[in-house]
Each structure stands twice: as structure tokens, then as C-alpha cells.
Amino acid sequence: MTIRLAVIESQTLVRYGLRELISRHPDIEIVAECGLAAEAPWMLATALPDVVTVDVSLPDGDGLRLARELRDRRADLGIVILTSRDEDDVLFRAFVAKAAPVEEVLAAIRHSAVAASSFTASGLANALTRRRETTDRLALSPREMDVLRLLRDGLPIPEIAVQMFISYSTAKTYVARLYQKLGAANRAQALMAAVQYGLVSCGPEGPVPVAHTVPV
């Protein structure tokens, strides 16, 4: 059975490359193309593709958001998100990098045609390794989380020592260790990094520590 493929891609050269690539493989046929998120629902309804490739960065919208909307419209639709970015957060959500080998793009399209709810991603294994290493490095003890909370509250080191019933030098050691783990040189950088790494969440009154601890 021929896979009916629709392409949502803002870059003309990428669309041309996909056409050339697909033309060499008789089991896949491009049945529609568009370059804007706004055109996608109409194209989906008229062309009835089995799989759609979606550019993650469209001129008039977010490709990842569009993919979710298309999934809501058709649960059986295979979706392959193409990205030119290498950031891990995109890899965790996207299917294939535009720089991926030809065989990987074809494999993703074919896989999506038969398993619409699953996905693969170029570089995902390495991204998972990096995230695991970061998580291990940043796992804070309960005492370090206490220090983070007190830093968030604006307490200076002497006050942190009083609040935690420890010596000033011990408090300094905890703060230095926390800064080292977060790759920070000061309080502001530490709190920003803590938010970025998910160690604290941003509430209406600023960063709030969340559970992310390991035993001492």
C-alpha cells in the first residue's frame, strides 16, 4: 500500500528536497504541500494523507502546537516533525532533524504510517544520556534544597546559618556546593539555573523549590 504523505514546510528548498527524495521510493507519494500552519487543516481535510511532515518553525505558528492540533483532528494520522535545531528539548518532542540521514527520514515516515502514536528522534539517545547525566549531577540533598529555599527567600549566608542551626562556615560550604552544581557565580545565577533545570518552579512570587532530592 502506498503511503500518502502531506508536507507542511516553510522552506522551499526543503520541500524540493523531500519531493526529490520521495520520488525515488514508490511506496510513498506526496499528495499535498503547504508552507503555513493556517493552510494545514484544509489540506488535511482535502488530501486525506496517511502521514504529514511538519516544520517545527512555521512563519505563522509553532509546528509542535500544530502537530497537537492535527493529532486532535485525526488520531490515526502519522506525524513526523522536522527540525533544523539540535536543542535537547526539541529532540524530546520532535521526530527527525532536517540534517538526519535520508534513511532516517524515510524510516520515520514509514514508521508513522503504521504506528501513528509513537515516535523516534534523531539524536534522542544522546539527548537522553545528557539529560540523565545532568539530573544526576544536579540532584540535591534535602539540606541543599533548604539552602536553595533560603537563597530564594533572600537570606544572606549568616541568616542561612541561623535558620539551619549550622555554623557560618558550614553554611558557606553548602552555598558554594550549590553554586558549583548549578554552574553559578552568584545568587541570581543560581536561582535562574535552578528554574532552568527544573529544581524550582516559578510561582507568582518568584522561584519556588520543588521536590528533586536525594538522601544525604
Side-chain angles (χ1 to χ4, degrees), residues 11-110:
Q11 298 181 36
T12 303
L13 286 177
V14 175
R15 290 203 302 271
Y16 173 79
L18 283 172
R19 284 197 301 270
E20 289 296 302
L21 169 63
I22 297 304
S23 67
R24 303 170 192 167
H25 299 271
D27 63 320
I28 305 174
E29 176 190 5
I30 295 181
V31 296
E33 297 179 25
C34 71
L36 297 174
E39 299 170 346
W42 178 85
M43 182 185 70
L44 186 69
T46 55
L48 299 176
D50 302 309
V51 178
V52 59
T53 64
V54 181
D55 182 359
V56 74
S57 300
L58 293 166
D60 63 336
D62 183 339
L64 294 173
R65 180 178 300 174
L66 174 62
R68 288 193 293 270
E69 293 173 356
L70 297 180
R71 169 71 70 233
D72 291 340
R73 290 172 181 266
R74 273 189 52 189
D76 65 332
L77 179 67
I79 300 176
V80 176
I81 301 176
L82 297 179
T83 174
S84 58
R85 292 179 285 168
D86 257 346
E87 293 95 329
D88 287 355
D89 63 328
V90 174
L91 287 174
F92 286 125
R93 295 175 292 172
F95 278 80
V96 179
K98 289 181 181 179
V102 168
E103 294 78 10
E104 189 167 345
V105 177
L106 293 171
I109 292 171
R110 290 171 178 140

Side-chain angles (χ1 to χ4, degrees), residues 186-209:
N186 53 49
R187 183 191 305 259
Q189 290 180 7
L191 291 174
M192 289 177 62
V195 171
Q196 178 184 352
Y197 291 129
L199 297 172
V200 299
S201 60
C202 280
E205 299 179 356
V208 179

Side-chain angles (χ1 to χ4, degrees), residues 121-142:
S122 173
L124 181 59
N126 289 336
L128 286 170
T129 298
R130 286 192 295 271
R131 172 165 287 189
R132 184 173 61 252
E133 289 174 349
T134 299
T135 300
D136 292 343
R137 177 172 60 87
L138 294 176
L140 304 183
S141 71

